[in-house]
Amino acid sequence: MRTLRTVGSLAVLAVTAMGLVAARPALAADTTPGQAAVFTRGYDTTKVASLTFDLDWRTGTAAENAVSKANLETVLRVFAANGITGGFGMTGRFAEQNPAEAATIAAQGHKIFNHSWSHPDFMTLTQAERWSQLDRTETAFRNAGISSAGWFRAPYRSGYLDAGLNRDLALRGFYINLDWTFDTTGYQAADWATVSARIDRYTVPGAIIVMHVTTPSSDPGNLQLIIDKLKGMGYGFVSPWQAVTKNAFRAKYLAAGGSASPFGAATTAEMVATTTGTAVQRFQRGRFYYSPATGAKFVWNGILAKYVAFGTVTSALKFPVTDEMVGAGGGWYSRFQGGSIYWLAAAGGGHVVQGGIHTKYLALGAEAGFLKYPLSDEVKLTGGYGSQFQGGNIYWTSATGAHEVHGAILARYLSLGGMSSRLGAPTSDEHTVSVGRSNTFVHGSITWNATTGAITVAYT
């Protein structure tokens, strides 16, 4: 009938250079990526581009450093004047030396990616050295109050398509390798004619353009010209946050506020969830799921933790059919194809309700009814299954269906052994009888006397 996990017995309960390249797609089963996905351009197929800068503060003269800082101020000012959200491949040493500037970049909404600590060629490093570069940079980012959200850009673009490098990135929690479509070559102090010609030659829909801040780069001074030229070519601008989302996930992400949404940044590319036509994408705080039957839905917070522990889309729950919903009494719930997950701190967090028990629970008002929130997942019992709730239990067998037992009758039933007792499974919900209330069971009944409070067990 269903796939369950037994946790106890209720009887005793209280690209190419011009395209998106994924080094290896995630295995179908909502698994953690084994390789970072390399973006040499965004998902867009319309005429938009993403503008990004690499930022590494090399120790120079006071005059050189002053120019570099002025360059950064120019870039941020031009971005703001044009309403453009860009991206910055930032080294850890820049963030450590300039935490206020690093925080300002992030505060203005621009996407930060880990560009290593000291800008070495990653293809010359061991795995341990690569991880040290990444970790040291993330520490500097945290100290500056910013985050890469697991985005990386390779110094010198060295090895950006290398399977070993992208494996090492993924093993350290970096699942997006944000590369670029073309470099303006402004870092070589290229003149405007050279930059303009490269824009003409290499700009394609979804292009990610890389520029540089630090002197002697000509990019900051040319930035407004670059923007104006792209506009003249019919191009608009899309932020890196948005560039790595597409289709139904993008629409849902933008409707929630995009980079300002509670979900934060995407932390993976869009991946197959189970079979072709389904999808999952992870974000800093949540995941989006899609199937043709359910559309795009999000799961996050404690409900996501439970869903992940249960097996997500490969479990009996399958795909979500609602976003997370506000429940009665300060809790939350999400509906899935195979049941629901309810979450309430006072009920011990998230629990799964499924199958016939789920149907009965909904009929009784779910968390807004007298049963309130679940205290357990569904568990295997003698001859059937059961779930415990704050206000009682529901039991199910193929012969009897699902029925609730609660209050004083439940207490007596549990004291006798529940479904493993002589009474067997319930065959009715609690109902009114002449003396009070009663439940019938396969081999008898338990009755509560409203006048005396006495509990009577009768066997058949």
Side-chain angles (χ1 to χ4, degrees):
M1 172 196 170
R2 65 192 85 179
T3 301
L4 294 162
R5 290 183 287 175
T6 302
V7 298
S9 172
L10 286 176
V12 295
L13 276 173
V15 223
T16 64
M18 301 293 283
L20 169 69
V21 176
R24 182 190 300 171
L27 297 176
D30 191 16
T31 55
T32 299
Q35 298 262 322
V38 181
F39 286 85
T40 58
R41 59 198 273 195
Y43 280 125
D44 290 274
T45 57
T46 57
K47 294 180 75 172
V48 296
S50 297
L51 303 183
T52 70
F53 279 84
D54 283 354
L55 183 54
D56 176 35
W57 223 248
R58 296 179 177 86
T59 301
T61 66
E64 288 172 336
N65 288 341
V67 170
S68 293
K69 288 196 174 187
N71 283 350
L72 178 57
E73 292 171 358
T74 296
V75 170
L76 295 178
R77 183 176 63 253
V78 173
F79 273 164
N82 288 272
I84 293 173
T85 299
F88 287 82
M90 185 184 298
T91 63
R93 65 186 175 189
F94 172 85
E96 182 177 80
Q97 294 165 11
N98 305 276
E101 286 84 354
T104 295
I105 293 169
Q108 293 185 13
H110 304 296
K111 184 70 189 73
I112 307 295
F113 10 103
N114 187 316
H115 196 39
S116 79
W117 170 261
S118 57
H119 209 270
D121 181 342
F122 264 46
M123 295 305 292
T124 68
L125 305 182
T126 66
Q127 182 186 74
E129 289 170 336
R130 290 170 176 174
W131 288 355
S132 176
Q133 285 278 327
L134 296 170
D135 293 350
R136 191 176 177 188
T137 298
E138 291 302 310
T139 297
F141 284 2
R142 284 193 299 273
N143 291 340
I146 65 177
S147 171
S148 72
W151 293 37
F152 173 79
R153 174 172 280 174
Y156 310 108
R157 205 189 196 187
S158 178
Y160 73 101
L161 291 179
D162 182 74
L165 172 59
N166 285 296
R167 175 208 61 211
D168 287 350
L169 292 174
L171 287 171
R172 213 59 171 174
F174 290 81
Y175 304 125
I176 291 180
N177 186 344
L178 197 83
D179 190 61
W180 35 269
T181 311
F182 71 92
D183 189 331
T184 63
T185 67
Y187 72 96
Q188 297 176 334
D191 60 20
W192 171 241
T194 300
V195 173
S196 179
R198 290 184 67 80
I199 293 172
D200 286 332
R201 182 177 180 181
Y202 295 118
T203 302
V204 292
I208 299 171
I209 302 172
V210 65
M211 296 168 279
H212 294 78
V213 173
T214 306
T215 185
S217 177
S218 62
D219 290 322
N222 284 334
L223 182 55
Q224 187 62 59
L225 293 174
I226 293 168
I227 292 169
D228 291 342
K229 180 176 179 66
L230 288 166
K231 287 180 178 179
M233 295 167 62
Y235 274 78
F237 301 94
V238 62
S239 74
W241 305 80
Q242 183 175 335
V244 300
T245 64
K246 62 179 178 178
N247 300 332
F249 287 170
R250 174 178 287 189
K252 195 162 198 70
Y253 183 54
L254 294 181
S259 60
S261 75
F263 302 110
T267 58
T268 70
E270 184 175 299
M271 305 176 291
V272 172
T274 53
T275 58
T276 300
T278 67
V280 59
Q281 188 165 22
R282 300 184 184 188
F283 290 77
Q284 286 177 281
R285 292 174 291 278
R287 296 184 191 179
F288 288 7
Y289 290 90
Y290 173 86
S291 78
T294 60
K297 301 293 184 291
F298 72 80
V299 188
W300 69 331
N301 294 334
I303 289 179
L304 176 60
K306 185 64 180 181
Y307 188 45
V308 169
F310 206 70
T312 69
V313 291
T314 62
S315 73
L317 288 172
K318 300 182 182 178
F319 283 84
V321 297
T322 70
D323 295 328
E324 183 173 300
M325 312 285 284
V326 176
W332 292 269
Y333 67 90
S334 289
R335 301 253 191 269
F336 298 83
Q337 289 175 304
S340 295
I341 297 177
Y342 291 84
W343 190 97
L344 181 72
H351 300 291
V352 175
V353 187
Q354 59 189 104
I357 291 177
H358 182 246
T359 302
K360 170 62 74 173
Y361 182 54
L362 294 180
L364 294 172
E367 88 290 349
F370 71 89
L371 288 174
K372 299 183 181 179
Y373 282 84
L375 295 172
S376 76
D377 297 340
E378 184 174 300
V379 297
K380 181 73 172 66
L381 300 173
T382 303
Y385 300 87
S387 288
Q388 184 187 29
F389 301 85
Q390 289 177 303
N393 293 347
I394 298 177
Y395 299 89
W396 179 94
T397 74
S398 59
T400 61
H403 298 286
E404 64 79 18
V405 187
H406 70 281
I409 292 176
L410 175 61
R412 177 58 62 88
Y413 183 51
L414 293 177
S415 73
L416 295 170
M419 279 178 59
S420 63
S421 71
R422 178 178 167 185
L423 286 171
T427 57
S428 77
D429 295 343
E430 185 178 299
H431 55 279
T432 300
V433 294
S434 59
V435 298
R437 303 285 288 174
S438 183
N439 277 87
T440 60
F441 299 85
V442 172
H443 299 297
S445 65
I446 302 177
T447 301
W448 170 77
N449 189 302
T451 302
T452 67
I455 299 291
T456 302
V457 179
Y459 293 102
T460 58

